[in-house]
Amino acid sequence: MCTKMRPLDITKDRSELKTEGFTVKSTLKNSVVVGPRAAGAFRERPAKPTAFRKFYERGDFPIALEHDTKGNRIAWKVEIEKLDYHHYLPLFYDGLCETVHPYEFFARQGVHDMLEHGGIKILPVIPQLIIPIKNALNTRNRQVICTTLKVLQHLVVSGDMVGEALVPYYRQILPILNIFKNMNINSGDGIDYSQQKRENIGDLIQETLEVFERYGGEDAFINIKYMVPTYESCLLN
Amino acid sequence: MSCAVLLDGNCKPKSMSRASLWTDEIENLYRFQQAGYRDEKEYRQVKQVELVDRWPDTGFVKKLQRRDNTFYYYNKKRECEDKEVRKVKVYAY
């Protein structure tokens, strides 16, 4: 009695039975063993409603939308320097999971402004940022991953010791980067426009890991390598 | 009489031209005009402030308070792209 693996397109013989491997059914003569289902590592996982959206709709954020010529600025009702970073920065990070306007814009731009003007106030908040970052990456939504990677790059250079402070959290952040690291199109000699727009996830991940290594101190590389085995150092050799 | 003397009075510009090349000055004018002011003079008149917040290394304007008292924050690096340069107005007093 033997069960051969045969291609799936056999529909001529109606008596054939499709079945999974290693089952009793698969030992039948007329059974055709199909391959295992996809695990769905790349499948998007819908995000839960974010706290950012709730707070925004309730009007808790000291921000207003301004339509300028480039359409990319937040008018802050309070000076950023006076904001409580422990409260607001994790909330804005929570909004990174959003994909619809205006939440997506406010979260992205709010994080950008707070990082740009935060200085020493950013470092103590880092432990609170890890879960929102992990959630955002876990959505596996291409747009969200792109935004989060750019935010991560900005975060690392936003203040002294921030890069080093992130090293213990690589275990939370890097698994998704490992999954998507090879997500690059081999277009031959064709033009891949996502490169120009900085939307190519494979390239962005490589950039991000390099920034992590540069700013993460001496333990950074070995920790990155542990989570992303295909990463090669940009500093050694 | 130069306008610097008349800082507290109404200082109206005599002429206006468009910028053609990007410089540090044009970058700063761009930032003031984004916030709804002609230039630094007008900003200091309206807001009655002595100094404007600037980035230490580049000298670009960092933070401006708009007429409705909200704040605009600007980046360390250049924001005024080449295609925006022509939109910047340079006022002469």
Side-chain angles (χ1 to χ4, degrees):
Chain A
M1 204 184 309
C2 73
T3 52
K4 279 183 193 166
M5 285 277 280
R6 271 185 278 172
L8 247 179
D9 58 348
I10 307 165
T11 45
K12 292 171 221 162
D13 189 355
R14 283 179 184 266
S15 63
E16 277 188 346
L17 185 69
K18 282 179 196 163
T19 173
E20 284 177 19
F22 309 107
T23 56
V24 178
K25 264 190 198 173
S26 68
T27 58
L28 296 174
K29 262 187 183 171
N30 61 341
S31 67
V32 180
V33 176
V34 296
R37 278 177 295 170
F42 297 98
R43 198 189 303 140
E44 279 183 30
R45 299 176 182 183
K48 292 173 199 144
T50 61
F52 176 82
R53 186 183 284 225
K54 191 174 108 189
F55 277 68
Y56 177 76
E57 280 168 356
R58 212 162 61 184
D60 278 3
F61 290 119
I63 49 177
L65 177 58
E66 277 302 319
H67 296 283
D68 66 357
T69 45
K70 282 151 87 188
N72 59 353
R73 215 181 285 285
I74 290 179
W76 291 84
K77 293 175 187 164
V78 181
E79 287 164 88
I80 295 182
E81 299 84 9
K82 290 181 183 162
L83 284 180
D84 176 8
Y85 267 58
H86 279 282
H87 177 68
Y88 284 109
L89 197 55
L91 270 179
F92 275 103
Y93 265 79
D94 189 58
L96 289 175
C97 295
E98 293 285 352
T99 48
V100 286
H101 191 76
Y103 313 107
E104 180 265 343
F105 165 75
F106 273 126
R108 182 165 40 82
Q109 195 60 31
V111 166
H112 174 80
D113 281 3
M114 287 187 80
L115 291 180
E116 186 90 3
H117 301 90
I120 53 165
K121 289 167 94 178
I122 297 167
L123 185 61
V125 196
I126 288 199
Q128 289 168 262
L129 304 180
I130 304 304
I131 290 177
I133 291 173
K134 195 178 137 191
N135 288 342
L137 290 171
N138 254 331
T139 61
R140 293 157 203 233
N141 176 304
R142 309 303 183 262
Q143 185 199 342
V144 172
I145 291 181
C146 262
T147 316
T148 312
L149 288 171
K150 287 175 193 167
V151 164
L152 278 173
Q153 291 182 18
H154 194 175
L155 174 67
V156 171
V157 297
S158 64
D160 284 342
M161 298 301 288
V162 173
E164 283 92 334
L166 276 173
V167 177
Y169 300 106
Y170 283 173
R171 265 168 181 269
Q172 270 78 43
I173 303 170
L174 300 191
I176 305 289
L177 271 62
N178 187 33
I179 294 175
F180 285 93
K181 188 170 177 281
N182 292 325
M183 198 152 183
N184 221 330
I185 307 166
N186 184 354
S187 56
D189 60 354
I191 299 170
D192 177 9
Y193 287 98
S194 70
Q195 283 180 346
Q196 221 171 26
K197 292 186 277 184
R198 285 192 76 217
E199 282 169 2
N200 186 312
I201 291 186
D203 287 352
L204 270 176
I205 288 177
Q206 181 64 27
E207 264 176 44
T208 311
L209 294 175
E210 285 178 9
V211 177
F212 276 177
E213 189 189 348
R214 278 178 210 284
Y215 289 85
E218 55 184 16
D219 295 334
F221 173 66
I222 196 161
N223 281 287
I224 295 172
K225 187 81 175 169
Y226 183 69
M227 297 308 298
V228 188
T230 54
Y231 177 72
E232 293 295 342
S233 172
C234 63
L235 295 177
L236 304 171
N237 306 322
Chain B
M1 199 181 295
S2 80
C3 218
V5 187
L6 297 169
L7 253 182
D8 49 349
N10 281 331
C11 183
K12 293 262 164 69
K14 285 181 186 148
S15 66
M16 185 276 284
S17 57
R18 298 267 177 180
S20 52
L21 277 176
W22 183 87
T23 59
D24 287 6
E25 265 179 50
I26 297 300
E27 175 68 37
N28 279 332
L29 278 175
Y30 172 77
R31 292 173 184 222
F32 279 108
Q33 285 164 24
Q34 288 276 302
Y37 301 97
R38 272 199 301 269
D39 47 24
E40 189 173 345
K41 277 196 187 96
E42 195 192 25
Y43 180 73
R44 281 158 61 178
Q45 267 176 26
V46 174
K47 288 291 160 198
Q48 299 289 318
V49 287
E50 281 296 307
L51 284 172
V52 180
D53 265 351
R54 289 173 188 277
W55 284 104
D57 33 0
T58 53
F60 294 151
V61 174
K62 183 178 179 184
K63 178 177 85 177
L64 291 177
Q65 192 170 18
R66 300 171 70 226
R67 288 170 199 265
D68 60 0
N69 290 331
T70 57
F71 294 90
Y72 262 6
Y73 284 84
Y74 300 93
N75 294 344
K76 227 176 283 182
K77 289 178 189 158
R78 173 179 176 176
E79 285 196 21
C80 177
E81 290 162 24
D82 280 334
K83 62 177 179 188
E84 310 272 345
V85 169
R86 286 296 293 173
K87 292 179 191 164
V88 179
K89 295 169 180 176
V90 186
Y91 291 93
Y93 293 88

